[in-house]
Amino acid sequence: MWREAWSDFIDVLPYLLIGIAIGSVIYGFMPTDLLEQYAGPDNPFAIPVAAVIGVPLYIRAEAVIPLAAALMAKGVGAGTVLALIIGSAGASLTELILLRSLFTLKLLAAFLAVIFAMAMIAGYATYLFF
């Protein structure tokens, strides 16, 4: 049992390390000015853009609240921030690379579609009601 678990871990490890490296680069060098420019509170098209940007990001739970507060303080709409958070928490690049080693492309595409849809629904609901 231990050997089988170790073997599975070794098989997945390269994908995990590549995902962590790519996610770290994106997370460290993603300019917030770019998001602010296209994600103002009066722009309903900012929500899908934020959901698309959020998916490859790797945002840990500890970083979500300060990130959301900073973006909203700079003028980014609440629906846009929510779509970004749901997209990034639901499907980070690291997670997608890991899941790719376990699942087929069809299942991975379905997973991405659900995460993207939930981010959009929550973002537009916040945009419309708040």
Side-chain angles (χ1 to χ4, degrees), residues 47-126:
I47 292 168
V49 170
V52 168
I53 290 172
V55 167
L57 291 178
Y58 175 67
I59 301 178
R60 295 181 49 97
E62 298 86 13
V64 169
I65 294 173
L67 177 64
L71 289 173
M72 290 182 70
K74 291 181 180 182
V76 177
T80 305
V81 171
L82 189 58
L84 177 74
I85 289 170
I86 290 173
S88 64
S92 69
L93 188 58
T94 308
E95 183 178 5
L96 294 177
I97 291 172
L98 177 65
L99 289 175
R100 176 60 190 117
S101 70
L102 301 172
F103 300 131
T104 65
L105 283 176
K106 200 175 203 180
L107 187 58
L108 193 61
F111 174 75
L112 272 175
V114 168
I115 297 298
F116 185 71
M118 291 300 104
M120 298 267 296
I121 289 168
Y124 279 119
T126 303

Side-chain angles (χ1 to χ4, degrees), residues 10-31:
I10 294 300
D11 290 343
V12 172
L13 185 61
Y15 297 104
L16 188 61
L17 292 176
I18 290 168
I20 290 170
I22 293 170
S24 297
V25 168
I26 291 171
Y27 184 75
F29 295 105
M30 179 67 137

